[in-house]
Amino acid sequence: MAGSGNKRELEAKVLQKVAEVISTIKTAKHVDQVISALHSLAVRLFPVDASIIAECVGQSYRDQILSSSLPSKSERLECWNAFYNGAAFSALSQVLLLELASSWLACFPFLAKKHLYDIFFVDGPVIEVAQNLVPCLQPNASDGVDVRAVCSNTERLIVLCLLEKDGVLQMAKEFGESCKYENFVTIPAISKVAQIVTSIPDKAQSRASNSLSSHLFFKQITNQLLSLAEVEDLKYIDLDGAMMFVGETFSRICRRGSADLLLNELIPRIMKHVHDVLMSNAHSTVSDVFESSPNFQFWLKIMETIKDNYAVEKISEQLLHQLAAKCESDVDAYWVLWLLFHRSLRSRMSVRSILVDKFLFWKVFPIHCLRWILQFAILECPPDANCLKKGHSNSSLLMTVQRLVEVWSKKEFVQSATLEQQAYISAAVGLSLELMSKEELDETKTVMPSILQGVSCRLENPNQWIRKMASNVALVFSKVIDPKNPLYLDDSCVGDIIDWEFRSTTRKKENIDCMIGAQTTSLVQKKEATDAAKVGTGQNIRSKNKNIWEFKLADPDEIVDPASLNCGSISEDDNDDNESDISDSSSDSSLQPYDLSDDDTDLKKKLSHLVDVVGSLRKSDDVEGVERALDVSEKLIRASPDELRHVASDLVRTLIQIRCSDIAVEGEEDSTEDKRQRALVALVVMCPVESLNILNKLLYSPNVDTSQRIMILDIMTDAAQELSNTKTMKPKHRSRTLIATTAETQPWFLPSSKGPPGAGSWKEISGTGNLPNWSNSYERELPLKPSHVKRGKTRRWSLRSANMQNTEMELSHNKFPGHAAAFMLPAMQGFDKKRHGVDLLNRDFVVLGKLIYMLGVCMKCAAMHPEASVLAPPLLDMLRSSEVSHHKEAYVRRSVLFAASCILIAIHPSYVVSSLLEGNVEISEGLEWVRTWSLHVADSDPDRECYMMAMTCLQLHSEMALQTTRALESANSPFKAKNIALSSDLSKGTIKIPFSDVKY
């Protein structure tokens, strides 16, 4: 009791002395008074050199400083404890950091500031000092202090105490000592100090030292705390207390988004330790070395002390990503994970949930990180070299495989998950199956049907990478069932090594038909150049079909020999026959017998009429006849014979119903299919009305399958693009100046009298030819040239004569708009009706996506034409239906976004303006839906391609809105000038730009 009483008495004396110093500072008139008052207190607490302080003041205060009595070391320590552990330091620090820093500190000599002012903070306990320093980073200006001076001084002291003097490391040691000897430090107290320290970068001024920026500050305090692992006197402190502060500080750093910076400093240190142990303990158990060595206690406890699950997740995630970039050995990576997480993995279910549930089912890591997760968290044993290795207990593996396959097999997962997520889960399923035996697979009753279901739903997906995932999993599964008979569903699956990284998915995105080019040129430029409106959508057209644009419409008056249009192979056979005839006739000596069994060339009928082509195509048992008909059909169709209109319908139906796989030689199915598709495209181009009538009927017919429907839509797409780029030859009209300026006195309509000497005068003549000539013609006689003996020629001057041969040609583009309605309207009717064999909204979603894509291409082909404005509203109505715009399959949503973008490109702003002026808000409501729906897709759609296409759609919409706004403003001017009031319904029209609205 006497000791505690003496302690309180001492604290009262120290507090009284502090009050005297504060009073002197507030009433001081000269800086020497302030220095002398601080020295009278500092000499009781610190070993201050009075001679240095005396040099900083005048003579009147110098003797006072030099004559001051010095306490003993024990007395000074007692006063130091009473000063910092009581209320004295808090009271004095407020005066030092606010009033003195604002009024007197600038007058302090350098030595006085360093040895008398800074010493109260530098030589004090860092925990108390930090709690008093940091709040002064944001002083209250209403207190009448110089805010800038106070902040600058506080920042200087923080850098000095916490960074230059390794104050954060000293904090950890102080917490360890407190826990070891006094056992009073609580977790809330530690958490409070960690919060104060990590908040410093947020509170520092923008012009503060670079050392207080979040990047450099967190880097320095992280290095200080990690150096605790190398401290030799750890036995004098409680490591648990120090580690609690380390864990709380690291949690706060992660909460502030600097987990990557933390791991940048941690990984090289721990990898060095792991590598040294693996190299020096080849014949001992590595785990025993880590557990028994005191040098690794810091690393074993560091993750245990981080209680914040969010921080644990961020550290684990960054650890895996950075190990993937820095660690080349699976063994090293495993022991790094083991050293940090093996205790937490066993004792904390939250950590296991992060590593197993989140990192396997929700996150996406590189494949080698996935192998590390499986090896450490599931198999729980070190790997062999760089291969996965099964542990003694496989219960965790079997349970994980069941959960993975259950998720992987669901159709909803295929529809909603991103491509990267699906590749990651597929790799997890495949790597896990590779470790299983047939007996273990039989124990899990649900794995086999789930795998079959997952493979089945992926094989029918239009995305080739999703199909490849199914092929890889099916291959691994077949090897588990019967290793001698692996099932290869993909030609790329060759050998025993399976590419689980799906390398192309990271560098090459899905080659989807409804992808649009990310062209960011202005809408006006796109709409002035119709060619630009037709670029960027041909990814769905195979390269073999690119030369369909090279065809030109033939002159209908041209005389064509149909027999000459046969394929080259038959003509080559004819040449061979002719050569054999010549050789036979020339050798009349002895006739050599030859085999006539295969010589049926003369029996082959040359197909020179489309009727014969139809007949040959219908003879499915005559494979060679069908092939010859396919070879010649396109050329005959493009010759546009008179019979084309009459046989077009039958020919379209017959070509659609041909099974190329039945007639083609193995390996040449694509070539035969290409001939059939080119012939059908030619039919639609040369005879659109009859061909489209049949194609639209067959599109929803129950007598065709899905592949034939897709082919019909591809044909219509190619034909629309070819019609929009049709090249027609016609005379090229050149504008000529009808009136020329002349200095002569003759009438302006007469030709110039200039010419060679002896030329006659101009005489008007009557026009020639059958066509009327609305210009005057003149002629004159020209003299003979000196070297000529023939009679002179007559030269005529006039506009071009009607019967003059004109060899100059020009191109006329886009014949599609006239047929746009025939392409689009029948195809849009009844798409949502479920018929026998037809279910576009559900089972046949690929056909639906192709249909919407074809309609979008048609809109682009009709861009800037009146037909586009007429066809846009019904197409928008189709796209707006919830079954289409919110379809479960990303393939359909991409097609909808593509079609919406095509509408924005195809419609001219003047049409939107005219609709608004007439009170018709249908088109504006449709465009507003495009905007809101694109925003919804960009915000919530899991598919990355949908997000990118939605952003492109928003950009096109904003350009359309801007151009419409300008056009509408200019359209309002003449109305206002004529005092004509606009329709009241016009106010209902809304054209919105993202993040701003423009209403009229």
Side-chain angles (χ1 to χ4, degrees):
M1 296 295 293
S4 61
N6 293 335
K7 183 178 180 181
R8 284 195 296 270
E9 182 180 353
L10 182 60
E11 288 180 357
K13 290 181 179 180
V14 171
L15 190 59
Q16 181 180 0
K17 181 61 179 178
V18 169
E20 294 175 359
V21 172
I22 292 175
S23 177
T24 303
I25 293 174
K26 290 185 176 182
T27 60
K29 303 297 182 181
H30 194 274
V31 67
D32 290 351
Q33 292 179 268
V34 179
I35 294 175
S36 178
L38 285 178
H39 178 266
S40 65
L41 176 62
V43 75
R44 298 170 181 264
L45 305 174
F46 313 107
V48 181
D49 190 347
S51 61
I52 296 177
I53 305 302
E55 294 295 330
C56 300
V57 297
Q59 187 63 39
S60 58
Y61 294 96
R62 186 175 300 171
D63 296 338
Q64 180 182 347
I65 292 174
L66 292 175
S67 62
S68 58
S69 61
L70 299 177
S72 64
K73 185 176 181 181
S74 59
E75 292 176 343
R76 193 165 57 238
L77 181 59
E78 290 177 355
C79 290
W80 187 92
N81 287 326
F83 176 73
Y84 282 105
N85 293 331
F89 174 69
S90 298
L92 180 64
S93 65
Q94 292 299 308
V95 177
L96 295 179
L97 293 172
L98 297 177
E99 296 180 17
L100 193 149
S102 178
S103 303
W104 295 108
L105 191 59
C107 303
F108 270 47
F110 173 76
L111 292 178
K113 181 190 294 186
K114 179 179 180 182
H115 296 284
L116 193 59
Y117 179 84
D118 293 351
I119 197 172
F120 285 97
F121 303 98
V122 174
D123 287 359
V126 187
I127 296 175
E128 291 295 327
V129 170
Q131 292 184 80
N132 285 274
L133 274 176
V134 176
C136 292
L137 286 173
Q138 296 176 323
N140 192 350
S142 62
D143 295 338
V145 298
D146 186 348
V147 174
R148 178 172 295 185
V150 171
C151 290
S152 299
N153 179 61
T154 305
E155 292 165 356
R156 179 184 67 84
L157 290 173
I158 288 176
V159 172
L160 179 62
C161 297
L162 299 187
L163 300 183
E164 295 180 4
K165 300 294 184 179
D166 289 341
V168 180
L169 174 61
Q170 187 61 34
M171 284 183 184
K173 292 181 179 180
E174 288 180 7
F175 280 122
E177 292 172 357
S178 300
C179 290
K180 187 175 181 66
Y181 297 109
E182 301 179 26
N183 196 26
F184 77 98
V185 179
T186 61
I187 293 179
I190 294 176
S191 179
K192 177 184 177 182
V193 175
Q195 168 67 24
I196 290 173
V197 171
T198 53
S199 68
I200 290 175
D202 298 334
K203 296 178 179 179
Q205 300 180 95
S206 59
R207 56 179 178 273
S209 170
N210 290 334
S211 301
L212 295 182
S213 64
S214 60
H215 177 77
L216 293 178
F217 183 79
F218 289 149
K219 180 179 179 180
Q220 292 183 71
I221 67 173
T222 298
N223 283 324
Q224 289 184 39
L225 295 177
L226 291 178
S227 65
L228 193 64
E230 283 83 28
V231 174
E232 297 180 356
D233 57 348
L234 280 178
K235 61 183 179 180
Y236 299 109
I237 66 174
D238 183 5
L239 185 59
D240 291 337
M243 292 304 298
M244 280 193 292
F245 175 71
V246 173
E248 285 294 327
T249 304
F250 284 175
S251 297
R252 304 290 178 176
I253 291 175
C254 294
R255 281 282 180 180
R256 281 172 163 77
S258 296
D260 56 339
L261 186 149
L262 173 64
L263 270 299
N264 280 337
E265 305 301 321
L266 184 146
I267 288 178
R269 296 170 183 257
I270 194 171
M271 283 186 62
K272 182 178 182 302
H273 289 300
V274 169
H275 186 71
D276 291 344
V277 170
L278 293 177
M279 294 297 293
S280 58
N281 297 274
H283 301 289
S284 59
T285 305
V286 178
S287 60
D288 294 341
V289 175
F290 286 142
E291 292 281 5
S292 60
S293 175
N295 296 330
F296 294 100
Q297 297 306 306
F298 176 88
W299 303 108
L300 290 169
K301 293 183 177 182
I302 187 171
M303 293 307 300
E304 280 187 300
T305 58
I306 300 178
K307 304 300 183 182
D308 186 354
N309 290 332
Y310 175 84
V312 173
E313 180 181 344
K314 289 300 178 183
I315 290 175
S316 307
E317 187 174 352
Q318 283 295 325
L319 176 65
L320 289 170
H321 282 296
Q322 294 196 25
L323 281 177
K326 299 177 181 178
C327 185
E328 298 179 356
S329 170
D330 288 355
V331 177
D332 289 355
Y334 171 84
W335 286 113
V336 169
L337 292 173
W338 187 93
L339 190 57
L340 293 176
F341 290 101
H342 89 282
R343 289 184 177 180
S344 300
L345 187 67
R346 295 178 180 178
S347 61
R348 294 169 58 183
M349 288 300 299
S350 60
V351 176
R352 174 168 289 276
S353 175
I354 290 171
L355 293 176
V356 176
D357 295 337
K358 284 195 174 182
F359 286 5
L360 283 183
F361 294 93
W362 296 102
K363 299 288 185 178
V364 176
F365 293 98
I367 297 303
H368 35 293
C369 293
L370 174 60
R371 289 200 299 267
W372 300 339
I373 296 170
L374 292 173
Q375 188 69 67
F376 172 67
I378 306 301
L379 303 176
E380 299 184 9
C381 66
D384 286 337
N386 288 327
C387 299
L388 292 178
K389 175 186 175 183
K390 292 177 66 174
H392 299 292
S393 175
N394 297 322
S395 58
S396 179
L397 174 62
L398 298 181
M399 183 174 61
T400 303
V401 169
Q402 285 181 314
R403 295 179 57 200
L404 283 171
V405 172
E406 182 181 359
V407 172
W408 184 79
S409 63
K410 292 182 178 179
K411 188 174 183 179
E412 293 78 8
F413 175 75
V414 182
Q415 294 172 339
S416 60
T418 63
L419 194 63
E420 293 80 5
Q421 183 74 36
Q422 295 192 52
Y424 184 74
I425 298 292
S426 299
V429 171
L431 291 172
S432 302
L433 286 175
E434 286 179 341
L435 299 172
M436 296 182 65
S437 63
K438 188 176 184 302
E439 292 73 18
E440 292 172 336
L441 191 62
D442 293 336
E443 294 178 11
T444 58
K445 303 299 182 182
T446 60
V447 170
M448 182 177 296
S450 297
I451 288 179
L452 295 177
Q453 178 183 347
V455 171
S456 176
C457 71
R458 280 171 173 79
L459 289 178
E460 63 186 19
N461 196 284
N463 190 326
Q464 60 174 325
W465 303 115
I466 294 179
R467 296 196 300 271
K468 182 174 176 60
M469 297 170 200
S471 302
N472 287 4
V473 172
L475 177 58
V476 174
F477 181 70
S478 67
K479 288 182 177 180
V480 175
I481 300 298
D482 187 0
K484 296 182 180 180
N485 296 304
L487 176 63
Y488 294 99
L489 299 178
D490 192 340
D491 294 338
S492 62
C493 297
V494 179
D496 296 332
I497 299 177
I498 300 176
D499 179 22
W500 291 115
E501 296 187 19
F502 300 102
R503 305 176 191 275
S504 301
T505 60
T506 58
R507 298 189 301 268
K508 179 179 178 182
K509 294 300 178 184
E510 176 188 5
N511 186 17
I512 186 171
D513 294 341
C514 55
M515 272 293 296
I516 61 173
Q519 302 172 355
T520 57
T521 55
S522 67
L523 186 63
V524 176
Q525 293 174 338
K526 291 181 180 178
K527 295 184 175 182
E528 289 177 351
T530 56
D531 288 341
K534 299 179 179 66
V535 180
T537 62
Q539 295 184 13
N540 67 313
I541 305 174
R542 293 178 299 180
S543 59
K544 296 179 181 179
N545 293 337
K546 289 183 178 179
N547 56 355
I548 64 176
W549 313 114
E550 300 175 1
F551 289 100
K552 300 178 181 179
L553 291 182
D555 185 358
D557 297 330
E558 181 183 359
I559 300 176
V560 180
D561 180 13
S564 65
L565 297 174
N566 285 285
C567 62
S569 61
I570 298 179
S571 61
E572 290 175 2
D573 294 340
D574 295 341
N575 292 336
D576 295 340
D577 294 341
N578 294 335
E579 292 175 2
S580 64
D581 293 340
I582 296 174
S583 61
D584 290 341
S585 60
S586 60
S587 59
D588 50 348
S589 56
S590 62
L591 299 178
Q592 300 294 329
Y594 60 92
D595 186 9
L596 295 177
S597 58
D598 296 331
D599 192 8
D600 58 347
T601 303
D602 294 335
L603 302 178
K604 293 181 180 179
K605 180 181 179 181
K606 295 181 179 180
L607 302 177
S608 58
H609 298 282
L610 290 176
V611 176
D612 299 334
V613 171
V614 174
S616 298
L617 292 174
R618 287 176 175 173
K619 299 177 181 179
S620 57
D621 55 340
D622 184 8
V623 176
E624 293 186 1
V626 175
E627 288 182 351
R628 287 189 291 115
L630 287 175
D631 290 338
V632 76
S633 58
E634 183 189 4
K635 292 184 179 180
L636 282 176
I637 293 168
R638 293 193 181 274
S640 188
D642 294 338
E643 60 177 334
L644 179 61
R645 289 176 54 250
H646 305 287
V647 301
S649 300
D650 291 340
L651 188 54
V652 168
R653 191 183 300 274
T654 305
L655 286 170
I656 291 293
Q657 294 174 348
I658 291 176
R659 296 290 180 181
C660 294
S661 58
D662 297 337
I663 63 174
V665 180
E666 184 178 358
E668 297 183 3
E669 292 85 354
D670 291 342
S671 176
T672 305
E673 180 65 36
D674 183 60
K675 294 175 184 177
R676 188 252 297 268
Q677 186 161 336
R678 288 166 61 88
L680 285 166
V681 171
L683 267 172
V684 179
V685 171
M686 304 303 298
C687 197
V689 178
E690 293 79 2
S691 301
L692 289 172
N693 185 32
I694 297 300
L695 289 177
N696 284 316
K697 290 180 179 179
L698 291 175
L699 181 61
Y700 295 109
S701 172
N703 299 322
V704 296
D705 57 21
T706 300
S707 63
Q708 290 172 315
R709 299 185 212 281
I710 293 175
M711 180 184 64
I712 290 172
L713 293 171
D714 287 340
I715 289 165
M716 295 174 69
T717 303
D718 294 354
Q721 291 177 322
E722 183 175 349
L723 282 171
S724 66
N725 289 277
T726 301
K727 299 178 181 180
T728 304
M729 313 303 289
K730 71 175 185 179
K732 185 176 181 180
H733 176 72
R734 288 187 176 182
S735 59
R736 295 174 178 269
T737 303
L738 301 181
I739 303 176
T741 302
T742 178
E744 299 178 4
T745 58
Q746 63 183 10
W748 61 269
F749 54 83
L750 292 178
S752 175
S753 59
K754 294 180 180 180
S761 59
W762 290 102
K763 299 178 181 179
E764 184 176 355
I765 62 173
S766 59
T768 60
N770 298 325
L771 298 177
N773 190 354
W774 300 105
S775 62
N776 297 323
S777 300
Y778 300 86
E779 66 178 7
R780 67 174 176 178
E781 296 289 334
L782 295 178
L784 293 175
K785 293 183 179 180
S787 60
H788 286 188
V789 296
K790 294 183 179 180
R791 185 180 177 184
K793 297 181 180 179
T794 300
R795 294 185 181 176
R796 296 184 176 182
W797 179 89
S798 70
L799 293 179
R800 179 171 297 165
S801 179
N803 60 352
M804 184 177 295
Q805 180 68 28
N806 179 21
T807 59
E808 296 180 354
M809 316 298 286
E810 70 176 8
L811 302 178
S812 175
H813 294 279
N814 205 347
K815 290 194 173 184
F816 174 76
H819 305 288
F823 272 82
M824 299 177 63
L825 294 178
M828 285 190 286
Q829 292 178 355
F831 75 94
D832 55 348
K833 294 180 181 179
K834 188 174 181 180
R835 307 176 182 87
H836 177 68
V838 183
D839 185 12
L840 299 191
L841 295 179
N842 294 296
R843 184 193 60 197
D844 302 326
F845 68 91
V846 178
V847 180
L848 178 60
K850 283 282 187 179
L851 170 62
I852 298 172
Y853 173 72
M854 183 273 293
L855 296 173
V857 171
C858 290
M859 287 299 300
K860 292 194 79 172
C861 292
M864 301 299 104
H865 287 265
E867 290 80 0
S869 302
V870 175
L871 294 170
L875 179 55
L876 282 172
D877 289 340
M878 174 183 175
L879 301 181
R880 291 171 67 178
S881 61
S882 59
E883 297 88 351
V884 175
S885 59
H886 297 281
H887 200 280
K888 295 179 180 180
E889 294 290 343
Y891 184 81
V892 177
R893 299 195 300 274
R894 294 185 192 124
S895 299
V896 175
L897 285 165
F898 169 74
S901 300
C902 292
I903 292 173
L904 293 172
I905 293 174
I907 299 178
H908 199 284
S910 61
Y911 169 72
V912 182
V913 173
S914 62
S915 298
L916 291 175
L917 293 176
E918 295 171 359
N920 182 8
V921 296
E922 181 182 16
I923 188 65
S924 64
E925 290 177 350
L927 296 178
E928 169 60 11
W929 171 84
V930 172
R931 184 188 74 89
T932 55
W933 182 69
S934 299
L935 284 172
H936 170 74
V937 172
D939 181 61
S940 60
D941 199 296
D943 187 75
R944 180 178 297 179
E945 296 297 338
C946 286
Y947 166 79
M948 296 174 62
M949 297 177 73
M951 295 304 296
T952 303
C953 206
L954 286 171
Q955 181 183 359
L956 292 173
H957 184 278
S958 63
E959 293 179 1
M960 162 71 80
L962 180 62
Q963 297 300 325
T964 303
T965 301
R966 292 175 178 174
L968 193 56
E969 288 175 350
S970 61
N972 285 341
S973 300
F975 279 86
K976 293 177 181 179
K978 297 179 181 180
N979 296 323
I980 299 177
L982 296 178
S983 171
S984 59
D985 294 336
L986 186 61
S987 61
K988 301 178 182 178
T990 303
I991 301 294
K992 292 185 178 181
I993 302 176
F995 310 112
S996 64
D997 294 346
V998 181
K999 299 184 179 180
Y1000 297 94

